């Protein structure tokens, strides 16, 4: 079972790298240019206090990861905030190849061998994909995943403290608000 997981991860990594040349390189010419535009706005804003994420090569890598994921998942596409899911994966996988703390030291991503940068990118893409596979319903039309969580919260509140639940309802507060 573990070997199957590694095989799947390797296949997704190769698939991602192939998508870079097949898909990302044509981002300005296709129907997804609005998607890329939104990603290009969000990426420079992520983790502004961590110098690593202000480097051009790192931002380009994140743009590729997000863009390829978004066009492969048209039901949800890219939404603001998904970019923040990539950052921990990038730091963890990058840390495997360098001896300094990439969050605190002025590490130049361009100093890393190109094949290692591709490996970091593919691994981060795979991990982000796995996380989003589990919560994609939160990002699709009408957000059924979030709606389900709100109903679960309301049911839990009824069981734990019916008086508080009744007060919330009497004050016309919607569970969606919190």
């Amino acid at each position: 079972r573990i070997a199957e997981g590694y095989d799947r991860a390797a296949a997704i990594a190769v698939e991602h790298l192939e998508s870079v040349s097949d898909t990302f390189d044509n981002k300005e010419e296709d129907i997804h240019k609005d998607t890329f535009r939104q990603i290009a706005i969000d990426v420079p804003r992520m983790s502004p206090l961590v110098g690593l994420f202000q480097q051009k090569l790192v931002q380009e890598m994140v743009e590729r990861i997000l863009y390829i994921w978004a066009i492969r998942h048209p039901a949800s596409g890219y939404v603001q905030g998904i970019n923040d899911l990539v950052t921990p994966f990038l730091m963890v996988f990058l840390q495997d190849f360098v001896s300094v703390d990439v969050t605190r030291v002025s590490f130049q991503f361009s100093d890393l061998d190109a094949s290692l940068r591709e490996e970091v990118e593919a691994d981060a893409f795979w991990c982000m994909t796995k996380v989003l596979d589990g919560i994609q319903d939160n990002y699709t039309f009408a957000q059924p995943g979030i709606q389900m969580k709100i109903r679960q919260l309301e049911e839990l509140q009824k069981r734990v403290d019916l008086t508080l639940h009744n007060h919330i309802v009497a004050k016309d507060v919607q569970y969606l608000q919190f």
Side-chain angles (χ1 to χ4, degrees):
R1 181 134 170 105
I2 292 173
E4 289 174 15
Y6 285 125
D7 290 344
R8 178 75 179 127
I12 288 174
V14 169
E15 195 176 302
H16 171 72
L17 294 175
E18 290 171 355
S19 292
V20 169
S21 60
D22 295 345
T23 307
F24 186 77
D25 293 343
N26 300 318
K27 65 188 173 296
E28 298 295 334
E29 301 170 11
D30 67 9
I31 61 171
H32 303 290
K33 62 184 174 187
D34 290 338
T35 298
F36 181 74
R37 189 175 303 120
Q38 184 60 51
I39 291 169
I41 290 169
D42 289 347
V43 167
R45 297 177 185 166
M46 70 184 179
S47 301
L49 300 178
V50 179
L52 175 69
F53 294 110
Q54 304 314 308
Q55 296 179 35
K56 183 176 169 62
L57 280 178
V58 174
Q59 290 181 355
E60 290 170 350
M61 178 189 342
V62 173
E63 287 173 350
R64 285 190 298 272
I65 290 169
L66 297 172
Y67 180 78
I68 291 168
W69 186 88
I71 63 169
R72 287 184 172 187
H73 297 83
S76 58
Y78 175 77
V79 295
Q80 189 174 11
I82 291 179
N83 58 313
D84 293 324
L85 296 176
V86 179
T87 57
F89 296 122
L90 286 177
M91 289 193 300
V92 167
F93 292 122
L94 179 58
Q95 199 63 66
D96 285 345
F97 298 112
V98 297
S99 59
V100 297
D101 182 348
V102 296
T103 63
R104 299 181 187 220
V105 176
S106 180
F107 171 77
Q108 291 302 311
F109 191 65
S110 58
D111 291 344
L112 194 64
D113 182 74
S115 64
L116 295 178
R117 291 194 308 257
E118 287 179 350
E119 188 174 332
V120 168
E121 179 175 340
D123 288 346
F125 175 82
W126 182 82
C127 286
M128 186 194 77
T129 297
K130 292 304 284 181
V131 166
L132 287 172
D133 282 352
I135 61 172
Q136 189 172 358
D137 281 352
N138 294 349
Y139 299 104
T140 57
F141 178 75
Q143 301 174 312
I146 292 174
Q147 297 297 330
M148 180 182 68
K149 295 293 183 198
I150 291 168
R151 285 191 302 278
Q152 289 174 339
L153 175 64
E154 186 173 359
E155 289 303 314
L156 179 62
Q157 184 61 50
K158 283 180 188 177
R159 282 186 276 147
V160 172
D161 191 340
L162 184 59
T163 305
L164 179 57
H165 167 75
N166 290 337
H167 176 74
I168 289 169
V169 171
K171 296 296 182 182
D172 201 28
V173 175
Q174 303 296 311
Y175 276 86
L176 178 61
Q177 294 173 321
F178 58 90

